[in-house]
């Protein structure tokens, strides 16, 4: 329509009709989406979508919320004009089918027949995977401008919820980074900071927890539109595939309705076929992309009966093209053979952003086409799956979960309830006490009735996970003995743990009932899952793609119980549906001048920070961690949900200073550092972010009391991003200068807190007498890529353990396991249980290697301390139950350190007899050093001198064996603890063996520490 013609139209014609054809992307952006070296930012993309919306009645822009950095966030709803005019009606249809309640099958069929299928497609939330947010621009244009019957068919049957950017902040950030570097040697450099505020690449792993604002916006929209299909774009294809498409690899989650995976597979196969039909070869299925972790932004929706999946299109870097030859391919794929899940192998050549955009357009169109062709069935499936879930938990337990209102940390119980409600789960609360079966529940207890359509998600989050052992390639060849040594992982553990765990006893999973797979691999290893505890086990045939265990009540330290019998009408009559979780107000009793409050709640830490910020004086009990504050603190405590009682005066207590906290932020998108910042903000800890040069400048102690290094590899901390790969100011790590500044900081009384593998940085750079007993082990010897493990607190009165339970559950994700050497100075804070597999949820191979070993240490260094936490105390903002390890450490200072015990080895119980034994045994090293000198003198002597040295060695060893060893034997005999005595006996046997060898073996080039290691004498039992 020409401009002149438009002017002639009558006034009542809607505005869009008066406008010209939809503008092409290139007419607005100056480029076609996918052009080499061009990326549209979110702002530019939104500008285009605004123009597009003005030009058509097939697209509506909808404001869905704001981003963390404050951008206005829109999605485009695209369909036929008629469908959009009735959008509210179709939303209502989708909602009613999803929620099931009140519908008969016939009514559901009727709704499905008349409904439209809602399809979520997005521009990818990993902002460096750039093609997705470019393809959405073209997709929108193609759909609203297409006049072919195929497009019309799609628009008539589908309502597309197009998240043209599902990470607007990140899209702007990455595009501006790329533009800055374009044409420089750093054109393809990775951005140095996270591309979504706080959590970067973890932004698609916050699905059920919804910690981030972005996750909340997405989940809220899914619970407004109730799409039947959810398609999330990514760009990490397994090379040389051009796109990875479902079916997923095994294992997949156990709880989604089976129809979800059936339909995921239908969509996957349809996408690959579409691409092949349109001359886009190279689609691959299955492989390493399993579907086990329910926190993925797509996958979580399968538990709400939305058919949900992702694809991974190939990416070089940003908008820069790259040429590949077959020689670049992995050896096993150079023959370009046809495979069942890769039937059109890619043959190499150029790969440009435009190719990725083209493949994504094809995949998105295939999804829209498949959805349109199966419209009615997909709509009915949403209803059918929800109805089946309701039926499942009407017939089988758990019939409900109860979250008691009275808890060790009741604030966290309320947080758990809030999380469930954000996820679309209906929660009730008991208006008075009620009975179900043999159990009595209290007024105020929260109840999750499981006969609701999304209950599979609750089961998934509350169950103990047992990662299935899958038949796979034989493990890497190793010695059979070592394989067998890694005994007793998931096997017989899960079922037994159920009764003891805070989480409700899980139902046996289908896999648990399956006969064990045949033994595989060398040495006849590998009884399957379900094998009795202690049987040899194989490592997983395939490495899990993400974590293996996440049981939310265990992570959050919240007690939850399952109701194992149907909830009858009497019990239901007292339940009231919770519309929102009211903030808990603290109760303050009495009117004395001092208020005492428990350290058990995370809220107490937030309150302390609020009190310190308000200038109140706070102190911390030396015996049990109780907090004390002046009477004027009452209003803050009430607001923060902390109960307090008043006292006449505070007992012996440490004064608490407002902590001056530094957190190290390496360049290179440090996800765990971001999570740590986010959590500190949630609990009102003030902190300062330091980069390499800030640390290297030194003088840290003048400005800070504590210094946090979040999860990072030791080498990565030292070396950072390689020189030449990023603009100069971002290259390098802490380096020797930074490490020395940190040593100076701790020497002068600072507290260094290291999380997870950052502890290895501290051990190396501070030369701590700590070994990582799982260092260098192969995956068939030790493997734990994210599981919940049981630990035991060593020194109940240590300030870092204040408020924590005696047996904390920790998230262990490829972390170190500590063993202190005899010269270690400090305390063992936390250990893995002795003689018992620590696994509670997930997968652990090689459990025996951690039994009795340390999980957390307080190492003395100079005037200060290093708190080494060998696990992830704040993992993804989920491990609320272990936040206090981090929080307490931030308040910890030398004045609070427990007295050093004899020998400086903390964390050991014992009585005077055992102490005497240990003192003497530890003193043996001096003598062994002397004896080794004699051994060296003898073996390096020549001629007559050798005879003399030989005699001297004989005499020294005679005396040692005649006097020293029997004296130790006497001390050992007085030790009453049978297990300790046994351990001491075997240590003495090793000592005897060493003495014998010192006579006959040439140790002249050996070091005493190495020999003590070799003879297993380092750790005195
Ligand atoms: Zn991705």
């Amino acid at each position: 329509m020409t401009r002149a013609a438009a002017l002639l139209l009558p006034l009542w014609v809607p505005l869009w009709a008066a406008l010209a054809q939809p503008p092409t992307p290139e007419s607005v952006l100056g480029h076609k989406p996918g052009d080499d070296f061009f990326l549209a930012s979110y702002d530019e993309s939104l500008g285009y979508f605004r123009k597009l919306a003005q030009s058509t009645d097939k697209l509506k822009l909808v404001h869905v919320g704001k981003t963390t950095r404050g951008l206005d966030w829109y999605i485009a709803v695209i369909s036929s004009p008629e469908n959009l005019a009735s959008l509210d009606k179709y939303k209502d249809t989708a909602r009613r089918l999803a929620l099931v309640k009140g519908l008969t099958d016939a009514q559901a069929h009727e709704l499905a027949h008349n409904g439209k299928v809602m399809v979520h497609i997005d521009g990818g939330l990993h902002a460096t995977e750039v093609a997705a947010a470019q393809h959405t621009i073209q997709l929108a244009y193609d759909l609203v401008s297409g006049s072919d019957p195929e497009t019309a068919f799609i628009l008539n049957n589908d309502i597309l919820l197009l998240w043209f950017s599902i990470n607007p902040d990140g899209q702007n950030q990455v595009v501006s980074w790329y533009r800055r570097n374009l044409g420089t040697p750093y054109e393809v450099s990775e951005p140095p900071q996270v591309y979504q505020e706080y959590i970067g690449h973890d932004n698609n792993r916050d699905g059920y927890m919804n910690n981030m604002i972005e996750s909340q916006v997405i989940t809220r929209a899914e619970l407004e539109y109730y799409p039947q299909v959810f398609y999330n774009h990514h760009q990490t294809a397994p090379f040389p595939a051009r796109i990875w498409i479902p079916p997923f690899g095994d294992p997949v989650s156990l709880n989604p309705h089976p129809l979800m995976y059936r339909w995921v597979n239908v969509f996957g196969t349809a996408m690959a076929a579409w691409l092949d039909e349109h001359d886009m070869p190279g689609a691959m299925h299955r492989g390493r992309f399993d579907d086990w972790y329910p926190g993925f932004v797509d996958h979580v929706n399968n538990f709400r009966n939305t058919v949900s999946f992702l694809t991974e299109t190939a990416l070089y870097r940003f908008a820069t093209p790259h040429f590949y030859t077959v020689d670049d391919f992995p050896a096993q794929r150079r023959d370009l053979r046809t495979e069942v899940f890769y039937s059109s192998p890619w043959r190499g050549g150029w790969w440009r952003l435009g190719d990725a955009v083209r493949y994504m357009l094809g995949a998105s169109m295939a999804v829209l086409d498949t959805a349109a062709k199966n419209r009615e069935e997909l709509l009915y499936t949403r209803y059918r799956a929800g109805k089946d879930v309701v039926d499942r938990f009407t017939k089988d337990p758990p019939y409900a979960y109860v979250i008691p209102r009275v808890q060790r940390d009741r604030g966290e119980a309320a947080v758990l309830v809030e999380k469930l409600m954000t996820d679309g789960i209906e929660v009730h609360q008991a208006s008075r006490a009620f009975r179900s079966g043999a159990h009595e529940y209290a007024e105020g207890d929260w109840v999750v009735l499981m006969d609701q359509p999304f209950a599979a998600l609750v089961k998934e989050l509350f169950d103990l996970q047992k990662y299935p052992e899958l038949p796979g390639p034989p493990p890497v060849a190793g010695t059979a003995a070592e394989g067998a040594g890694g005994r007793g992982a998931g096997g017989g553990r899960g079922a037994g743990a159920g009764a003891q765990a805070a989480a409700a006893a899980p139902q046996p999973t289908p896999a648990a009932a399956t006969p064990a797979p045949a033994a595989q691999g060398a040495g006849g290893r590998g009884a399957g899952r379900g094998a009795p505890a202690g049987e040899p086990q194989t490592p997983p045939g395939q490495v899990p793609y993400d974590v293996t265990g996440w049981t939310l009540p265990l992570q959050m330290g919240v007690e939850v119980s399952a109701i194992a019998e149907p909830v009858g009408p009497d019990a239901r009559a007292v339940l009231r549906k919770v519309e929102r979780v009211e903030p808990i107000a603290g109760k303050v009793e009495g009117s004395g001048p001092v208020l005492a409050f428990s350290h058990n709640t995370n809220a107490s830490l937030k309150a302390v920070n609020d009190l310190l910020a308000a200038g109140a004086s706070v102190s911390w009990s030396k015996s049990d961690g109780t907090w004390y504050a002046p009477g004027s603190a009452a209003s803050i405590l009430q607001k923060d949900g902390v109960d307090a009682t008043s006292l006449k005066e505070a007992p012996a207590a440490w004064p608490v200073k407002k902590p001056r906290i530094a957190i190290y932020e390496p360049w290179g998108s440090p996800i765990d550092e971001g999570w740590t910042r986010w959590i500190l903000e949630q609990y009102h800890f003030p902190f300062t972010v330091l980069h390499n040069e800030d640390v290297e400048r030194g003088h840290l102690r003048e400005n800070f009391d504590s210094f946090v290094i979040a999860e990072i590899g030791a080498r990565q901390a030292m070396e950072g991003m390689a020189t030449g790969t990023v603009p100069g100011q971002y290259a390098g790590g802490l380096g020797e200068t930074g490490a020395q500044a940190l040593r100076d900081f701790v020497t002068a009384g600072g507290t260094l807190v290291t999380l997870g593998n950052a502890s290895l940085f501290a051990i190396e750079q501070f030369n701590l007498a700590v070994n990582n007993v799982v260092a260098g082990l192969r995956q068939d010897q030790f493997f734990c890529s994210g599981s919940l493990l049981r630990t035991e607190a060593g020194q109940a009165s240590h300030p870092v353990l204040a408020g924590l339970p005696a047996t904390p559950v920790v998230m262990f994700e490829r972390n170190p396991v500590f063993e202190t050497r005899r010269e270690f100075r400090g305390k063992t804070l936390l250990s893995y249980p002795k003689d018992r597999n620590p696994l509670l949820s997930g997968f652990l191979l090689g459990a025996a290697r951690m039994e009795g070993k340390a999980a957390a240490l307080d190492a003395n260094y100079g005037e200060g301390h290093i708190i080494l936490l060998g696990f992830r105390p704040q993992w993804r903002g989920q491990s609320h139950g272990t936040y206090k390890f981090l929080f307490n450490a931030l308040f910890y200072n030398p004045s609070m350190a427990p007295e050093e015990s004899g020998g400086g080895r903390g964390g050991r119980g014992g009585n005077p007899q055992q102490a005497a034994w240990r003192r003497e045994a530890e003193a043996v090293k001096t003598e062994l050093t002397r004896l080794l000198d004699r051994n060296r003198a003898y073996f390096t002597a020549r001629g007559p001198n050798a005879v003399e040295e030989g005699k001297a060695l004989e005499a020294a060893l005679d005396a040692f064996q005649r006097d020293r060893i029997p004296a130790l034997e006497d001390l050992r005999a007085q030790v009453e603890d049978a297990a300790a005595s046994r351990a001491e006996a075997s240590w003495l046997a090793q000592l005897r063996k060493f003495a014998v060898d010192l006579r006959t073996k040439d140790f002249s080039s050996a070091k005493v520490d190495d020999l003590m290691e070799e003879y297993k004498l380092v750790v005195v039992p």
Side-chain angles (χ1 to χ4, degrees):
M1 183 181 299
T2 66
R3 197 181 184 83
L7 291 172
L8 298 175
L9 285 167
L11 288 173
W12 49 265
V13 170
L15 183 62
W16 54 263
L19 296 177
Q21 283 292 309
T24 61
E26 45 272 49
S27 73
V28 175
L29 301 170
H31 288 273
K32 198 171 162 52
D35 273 0
D36 286 350
F37 310 112
F38 172 76
L39 292 172
S41 68
Y42 171 72
D43 296 337
E44 290 162 342
S45 183
L46 175 59
Y48 174 71
F49 274 91
R50 284 191 201 280
K51 290 205 162 78
L52 200 57
Q54 285 162 8
S55 74
T56 176
D57 55 354
K58 297 176 189 166
L59 184 151
K60 252 184 163 163
L61 273 187
V62 177
H63 189 259
V64 286
K66 285 210 179 248
T67 67
T68 303
R69 292 175 186 161
L71 293 179
D72 279 305
W73 192 357
Y74 290 87
I75 65 172
V77 182
I78 302 175
S79 192
S80 70
E82 298 73 30
N83 290 347
L84 286 186
S86 302
L87 183 58
D88 286 342
K89 181 185 86 180
Y90 292 122
K91 279 167 73 175
D92 188 60
T93 296
R95 184 184 59 82
R96 291 178 68 194
L97 289 169
L99 298 182
V100 175
K101 207 182 245 176
L103 290 182
T104 62
D105 290 358
Q107 288 169 324
H109 274 301
E110 178 76 16
L111 285 171
H113 183 73
N114 296 316
K116 303 294 171 185
V117 60
M118 297 261 189
V119 182
H120 162 124
I121 294 181
D122 62 59
L125 26 48
H126 290 160
T128 49
E129 302 172 4
V130 291
Q134 307 300 311
H135 110 284
T136 50
I137 300 170
Q138 190 68 46
L139 180 64
Y141 174 76
D142 291 352
L143 287 171
V144 303
S145 65
S147 54
D148 53 298
E150 193 175 68
T151 305
F153 178 70
I154 285 173
L155 294 186
N156 285 335
N157 288 285
D158 295 349
I159 296 173
L160 168 60
L161 310 170
L162 184 66
W163 295 68
F164 50 94
S165 180
I166 197 164
N167 177 6
D169 290 344
Q171 188 176 348
N172 275 351
Q173 179 186 333
V174 166
V175 170
S176 110
W177 170 255
Y178 180 65
R179 282 183 188 164
R180 193 188 319 161
N181 296 323
L182 195 60
T184 77
Y186 306 112
E187 180 168 313
V188 296
S189 290
E190 292 298 315
Q193 289 178 294
V194 287
Y195 52 60
Q196 183 179 308
E197 191 53 47
Y198 302 112
I199 65 167
H201 200 82
D202 259 4
N203 63 356
N204 75 327
R205 285 152 165 88
D206 190 34
Y208 58 74
M209 208 61 185
N210 293 295
N211 282 321
M212 293 297 122
I213 288 171
E214 280 77 359
S215 313
Q216 293 160 18
V217 168
I218 297 165
T219 302
R220 200 169 56 225
E222 300 319 308
L223 294 173
E224 182 186 334
Y225 291 89
Y226 295 99
Q228 291 82 33
V229 181
F230 185 111
Y231 175 19
N232 176 222
H233 278 278
H234 287 263
Q235 274 193 283
T236 314
F239 189 72
R242 292 300 87 193
I243 183 171
W244 178 91
I245 297 180
F248 285 88
D250 279 309
V252 295
S253 301
L254 307 176
N255 284 303
H257 191 281
L259 279 170
M260 296 304 111
Y261 290 121
R262 298 296 183 194
W263 276 105
V264 168
N265 297 348
V266 168
F267 277 102
T269 304
M271 278 188 267
W274 178 290
L275 293 174
D276 283 342
E277 283 159 18
H278 292 77
D279 301 315
M280 289 181 264
M284 185 184 282
H285 311 270
R286 305 205 81 226
R288 66 186 285 261
F289 290 104
D290 64 38
D291 214 17
W292 181 249
Y293 172 61
F296 290 117
V297 67
D298 55 314
H299 187 29
V300 67
N301 292 295
N302 279 314
F303 298 86
R304 288 191 281 255
N305 311 315
T306 296
V307 177
S308 306
F309 51 88
L310 54 77
T311 59
E312 301 272 1
T313 305
L315 166 72
Y316 174 57
R317 305 263 176 83
F318 309 102
T320 299
H322 192 75
F323 191 87
Y324 298 91
T325 71
V326 173
D327 290 342
D328 299 323
F329 291 9
Q332 77 274 17
R333 289 245 153 77
R334 282 183 205 149
D335 60 0
L336 306 179
R337 76 184 184 285
T338 300
E339 300 174 35
V340 64
F341 289 117
Y342 183 48
S343 55
S344 56
W346 188 55
R347 312 181 77 84
W350 278 103
W351 188 254
R352 325 183 92 92
L353 176 65
D355 294 315
V357 165
R358 203 161 47 89
Y359 273 62
M360 286 179 171
L361 281 169
S364 290
M365 286 301 285
V367 166
L368 291 169
D369 177 63
T370 306
K373 284 173 177 154
N374 296 281
R375 179 188 58 80
E376 187 171 340
E377 200 175 347
L378 281 165
L379 283 161
Y380 190 76
T381 293
R382 183 101 202 242
Y383 163 79
R384 167 69 199 266
K387 180 171 173 275
D388 285 353
V389 171
V390 171
D391 287 351
R392 171 183 169 192
F393 293 109
T394 303
K395 291 190 193 116
D396 289 314
Y399 298 98
Y401 288 101
V402 176
I403 305 171
R405 175 114 172 146
V406 177
Q407 299 250 359
R408 178 185 174 81
D409 189 345
R410 65 169 182 193
E412 291 300 336
V415 172
L416 178 58
V417 170
E418 251 176 346
K419 296 288 175 198
L420 294 176
M421 289 175 62
T422 304
D423 270 318
I425 303 299
E426 202 173 274
V427 182
H428 288 79
Q429 198 162 17
S431 57
R432 55 186 160 80
F434 71 101
R435 176 169 281 283
S436 180
H439 297 275
E440 180 90 29
Y441 300 96
E443 178 190 340
D445 284 359
W446 288 288
V447 179
V448 183
L449 295 169
M450 290 293 279
D451 51 357
Q452 55 178 305
F454 309 157
L457 181 60
V458 184
K459 178 119 173 29
E460 183 76 13
L461 297 181
F462 286 10
D463 265 355
L464 296 172
Q465 280 74 47
K466 291 189 275 183
Y467 191 80
E469 281 185 42
L470 305 168
V476 182
T479 65
E482 290 214 282
R487 69 189 152 82
R493 171 124 213 108
Q500 295 137 7
Q507 300 308 305
T509 58
T514 305
Q520 45 179 295
R525 289 203 294 279
R529 172 176 157 65
E535 288 296 300
Q537 277 208 293
T538 45
Q542 175 171 299
V543 175
Y545 189 70
D546 204 87
V547 300
T548 59
W550 47 80
T551 313
L552 208 46
L554 284 185
Q555 283 204 79
M556 295 181 70
V558 175
E559 188 196 324
V560 173
S561 57
I563 293 187
E565 51 288 305
V567 182
D570 291 354
R572 283 175 192 259
V574 310
L575 300 180
R576 303 282 172 268
K577 191 177 162 196
V578 181
E579 298 300 337
R580 66 181 288 258
V581 182
E582 298 298 331
I584 298 175
K587 254 190 294 182
V588 175
E589 287 173 356
S591 56
V594 175
L595 292 176
F597 53 102
S598 165
H599 210 122
N600 286 1
T601 69
N602 285 343
S604 75
L605 276 296
K606 187 202 245 177
V608 165
N609 286 325
D610 288 348
L611 289 169
L612 293 171
S617 60
V618 180
S619 61
W620 172 331
S621 159
K622 291 186 178 177
S623 56
D624 64 357
T626 299
W627 302 101
Y628 304 111
S632 59
S635 63
I636 287 179
L637 294 176
Q638 282 161 344
K639 173 181 71 71
D640 286 335
V642 174
D643 292 347
T645 49
S646 76
L647 303 173
K648 284 207 182 68
E649 58 180 343
W654 294 294
V656 177
K657 277 200 317 175
K658 195 169 165 180
R660 300 179 304 163
I661 301 165
I663 178 163
Y664 172 56
E665 186 176 286
W667 299 120
S669 304
I671 294 168
D672 199 55
E673 183 267 348
W675 277 116
T676 310
R677 275 190 292 124
W678 180 75
I679 290 160
L680 293 183
E681 284 177 13
Q682 301 302 305
Y683 288 87
H684 301 180
F685 280 92
F687 60 86
T688 306
V689 172
L690 298 186
H691 293 112
N692 294 327
E693 57 185 22
D694 307 315
V695 180
E696 287 164 10
R697 229 175 272 132
H699 302 285
L700 297 169
R701 185 69 189 100
E702 291 156 32
N703 300 308
F704 302 107
D705 304 310
S706 46
F707 190 108
V708 185
I709 308 182
E711 169 70 32
I712 189 172
R715 190 166 153 198
Q716 196 196 342
M718 282 301 278
E719 298 176 9
M721 294 162 91
T723 306
T725 65
V726 279
Q729 69 269 37
Y730 303 116
L734 286 168
E736 176 49 32
T737 313
Q740 185 56 45
L742 286 169
R743 288 190 287 265
D744 293 344
F745 168 73
V746 182
T747 302
T751 301
L752 176 65
V753 187
T754 55
L755 313 184
N757 288 305
S759 302
L760 296 173
F761 162 81
I763 290 169
E764 286 174 19
Q765 295 305 320
F766 288 73
N767 199 21
L768 302 177
V770 179
N771 296 334
N772 170 20
V773 302
V774 298
L777 294 178
R778 296 187 314 262
Q779 282 185 3
D780 59 340
Q781 296 171 318
F782 180 81
F783 186 82
C784 187
S785 68
S787 302
L788 300 178
L789 306 184
R790 180 197 304 275
T791 61
E792 293 170 352
Q795 307 229 333
S797 64
H798 194 290
V800 170
L801 299 174
L804 284 156
T807 56
V809 177
V810 303
M811 169 57 84
F812 184 99
E813 192 182 4
R814 301 168 193 268
N815 288 131
V817 178
F818 305 131
E819 184 173 58
T820 56
R821 298 196 295 272
R822 63 179 298 274
E823 64 272 29
F824 176 74
R825 288 173 54 236
K827 308 279 177 201
T828 297
L829 301 176
L830 197 67
S831 302
Y832 298 102
K834 270 185 186 157
D835 309 319
R836 183 171 179 191
N837 189 322
L839 180 67
L840 288 173
S841 186
F843 183 86
L844 168 62
L845 176 79
R849 295 176 188 272
M850 19 178 29
E851 288 172 12
K853 300 293 192 289
L857 299 168
D858 169 8
N860 299 355
Y861 188 89
E863 297 290 306
H865 290 260
I866 305 168
I867 303 298
L868 304 155
L869 302 175
F871 52 93
R872 308 284 294 274
Q874 35 46 300
W875 181 77
R876 287 184 189 161
Q878 299 187 20
S879 302
H880 292 231
T882 50
Y883 281 1
K884 282 193 280 283
F885 282 103
L886 170 64
F887 294 168
N888 289 337
L890 297 175
F891 283 113
Y892 184 55
N893 64 59
S895 73
M896 303 165 85
E899 295 292 308
E900 279 208 47
S901 52
R905 317 197 41 223
R908 320 273 303 265
N911 48 34
Q913 289 81 8
Q914 214 160 332
W917 145 266
R918 207 174 290 142
R919 209 164 35 242
E920 288 304 307
E922 284 175 350
V924 160
K925 185 181 175 185
T926 320
E927 278 169 85
L928 293 178
T929 308
R930 199 167 49 77
L931 291 168
L932 188 64
D933 285 343
R934 291 239 170 268
N935 172 287
R936 186 176 297 118
Y938 168 61
F939 280 102
T940 54
R942 294 291 171 265
N945 201 19
V947 179
E948 288 305 309
E949 292 295 347
K951 278 182 185 160
L953 175 64
E954 292 283 324
L957 281 166
D958 285 349
F960 185 75
Q961 286 173 318
R962 186 183 60 232
D963 304 329
R964 206 68 183 83
I965 292 182
L968 280 164
E969 188 60 59
D970 289 348
L971 286 170
R972 185 192 72 82
Q974 289 165 36
V975 170
E976 284 165 11
D977 182 288
S981 180
R982 264 200 310 280
E984 290 161 11
S986 60
W987 189 88
L988 273 175
Q990 287 297 118
L991 186 62
R992 286 199 186 87
K993 190 159 173 281
F994 189 23
V996 169
D997 289 351
L998 275 165
R999 274 183 208 273
T1000 54
K1001 291 192 176 167
D1002 177 0
F1003 288 138
S1004 58
S1005 58
K1007 293 201 183 98
V1008 70
D1009 284 332
D1010 294 342
L1011 288 172
M1012 289 186 70
E1013 196 82 52
E1014 186 183 328
Y1015 284 89
K1016 301 189 175 70
L1017 293 168
V1018 173
V1019 180
V1020 175

